[in-house]
Amino acid sequence: MSLLASSGVSGHRQRQVQKVLYITLGLNILVFLVKFVLGLMTGSLSLIADALHTSTDTASNILGLLAMRFSSPEPDAEHPYGHTKFESIGALGIAAFLGMASFEILRTAIGRFFEPAPRLEIDELTLMLMVGVLGINIFVTVYEHQRGKALSSRLLLADARHTLSDVWVTLTVLLGLVGVRWGITWLDQALAFPVGLLVFWSGWEVLRENVPYLTDSVAIPPKALRDLVMNLPGVLDCHEITSRGIPGQMIFIEMHMVVEPQDIESAHRITEEVEQLLRERYGAVRATIHLEPYSYIEGSDRVSGTESFS
């Protein structure tokens, strides 16, 4: 796959991610409006908190669209490795929204303990509408997760996790509203606490998954890369191997290599075979290969200067 073809595939992927975000944005706006209006009409704390959480779904979709706008896969003079980290930065923004929503939910719930309990009016229409928005939440979660897996998009997977938390929140709130309708008035306030904790946990998961990529953690174990390359005829040694990026999206690989041919043309041919092999195995790859003389052949226990194959 040529670099131009790779850029074309990445551009198509970017447009597909944006399409998913536009669809989920429209559905999340609808869900937010239903929950917010019902929360105001009924006076339910947990329902208002749920609407607040759904507003972060909407905000995260908008943030995701902005991140994708600036996460062009093609490099430029100022960003020779492309702009794909903008997508993970967008995912961190989602984590921030989740943290703020969690704080607001818990703060409001605690405040209610020191205020007179409001009178809640929960009718059958409210419960039916909440069942409807729960169905929308489930659809958005499954749809976004499937597309995120298919497109290898950290942003979509993070947003799907965000919406999954909304599914649990909405289900919890729905159970609370049923309890209030049966006369258990304190249940609405009590359930606001697990709602807040669920939101916080979702934010932590998004943070934990995206920070390693932003800090250039290893994308592929050096041993796996060395074993793959050493199977090619003409390769005598491969060491000082590093990698970063996202498998299935774009990986940057650097390695030092000793080859059997000593003429430049034959040695260059082997490096091209290595690059092709890496692309066939891992998808979009940009490899930098440094050729070394025979005297640089390392023992088989050398990996990036620190790790051992044994």
Side-chain angles (χ1 to χ4, degrees):
M1 181 185 295
S2 66
L3 183 60
L4 181 60
S6 176
S7 297
V9 171
S10 298
H12 175 72
R13 169 188 171 278
Q14 185 179 5
R15 290 190 294 273
Q16 290 297 309
V17 171
Q18 289 174 324
K19 178 181 177 181
V20 174
L21 288 173
Y22 277 121
I23 292 173
T24 56
L25 174 61
L27 292 174
N28 283 330
I29 290 175
L30 174 62
V31 170
F32 165 74
L33 291 175
V34 172
K35 290 179 180 179
F36 186 70
V37 171
L38 289 178
L40 293 179
M41 292 176 59
T42 62
S44 167
L45 171 61
S46 60
L47 189 47
I48 293 175
D50 192 10
L52 176 63
H53 180 246
T54 301
S55 73
T56 66
D57 285 324
T58 303
S60 67
N61 288 147
I62 296 173
L63 179 63
L65 287 167
L66 291 175
M68 289 306 300
R69 172 65 180 82
F70 293 106
S71 66
S72 169
E74 299 181 4
D76 56 31
E78 295 182 352
H79 302 87
Y81 296 101
H83 307 75
T84 53
K85 284 191 176 181
F86 277 102
E87 189 170 340
S88 282
I89 292 174
L92 294 186
I94 293 174
F97 278 121
L98 287 168
M100 289 187 292
S102 175
F103 172 78
E104 184 63 23
I105 292 169
L106 294 175
R107 184 189 66 83
T108 305
I110 293 173
R112 278 286 179 93
F113 280 109
F114 304 97
E115 299 174 359
R119 178 180 175 83
L120 303 182
E121 297 291 343
I122 308 299
D123 55 23
E124 291 184 1
L125 178 61
T126 299
L127 297 178
M128 291 175 60
L129 289 174
M130 286 299 295
V131 170
V133 297
L134 177 62
I136 295 176
N137 285 147
I138 294 173
F139 168 79
V140 170
T141 300
V142 174
Y143 170 67
E144 204 166 19
H145 181 76
Q146 289 180 343
R147 297 302 295 157
K149 294 280 287 185
L151 297 170
S152 298
S153 172
R154 286 177 175 263
L155 184 61
L156 288 182
L157 291 174
D159 205 37
R161 188 182 300 279
H162 187 181
T163 308
L164 177 60
S165 72
D166 205 39
V167 170
W168 291 111
V169 169
T170 302
L171 181 59
T172 302
V173 170
L174 182 58
L175 293 175
L177 295 180
V178 171
V180 170
R181 183 167 173 78
W182 287 348
I184 312 174
T185 56
W186 55 267
L187 193 58
D188 177 72
Q189 181 178 338
L191 288 178
F193 287 96
V195 167
L197 294 177
L198 282 170
V199 173
F200 175 81
W201 179 255
S202 296
W204 168 251
E205 288 289 297
V206 172
L207 190 67
R208 185 175 60 86
E209 290 181 1
N210 284 275
V211 167
Y213 170 58
L214 290 172
T215 54
D216 288 331
S217 294
V218 173
I220 305 170
K223 183 180 185 303
L225 289 172
R226 187 179 192 277
D227 290 345
L228 179 66
V229 172
M230 290 296 292
N231 286 325
L232 279 178
V235 177
L236 299 179
D237 190 32
C238 181
H239 53 268
E240 298 295 337
I241 304 169
T242 61
S243 66
R244 60 188 177 89
I246 304 176
Q249 184 172 330
M250 175 60 75
I251 305 175
F252 301 93
I253 298 174
E254 298 179 9
M255 63 178 64
H256 292 198
M257 195 165 67
V258 180
V259 298
E260 185 175 359
Q262 297 191 30
D263 62 287
I264 294 178
E265 184 175 352
S266 298
H268 177 67
R269 176 181 53 79
I270 292 179
T271 63
E272 289 186 329
E273 291 176 357
V274 170
E275 292 175 359
Q276 180 62 29
L277 179 63
L278 292 173
R279 293 191 186 103
E280 290 175 356
R281 176 64 62 89
Y282 299 109
V285 169
R286 288 176 59 184
T288 301
I289 301 174
H290 177 71
L291 290 176
E292 296 180 330
Y294 288 173
S295 60
Y296 278 71
I297 293 179
E298 301 282 354
S300 62
D301 61 344
R302 175 69 176 266
V303 184
S304 301
T306 58
E307 296 187 28
S308 173
F309 290 130
S310 58

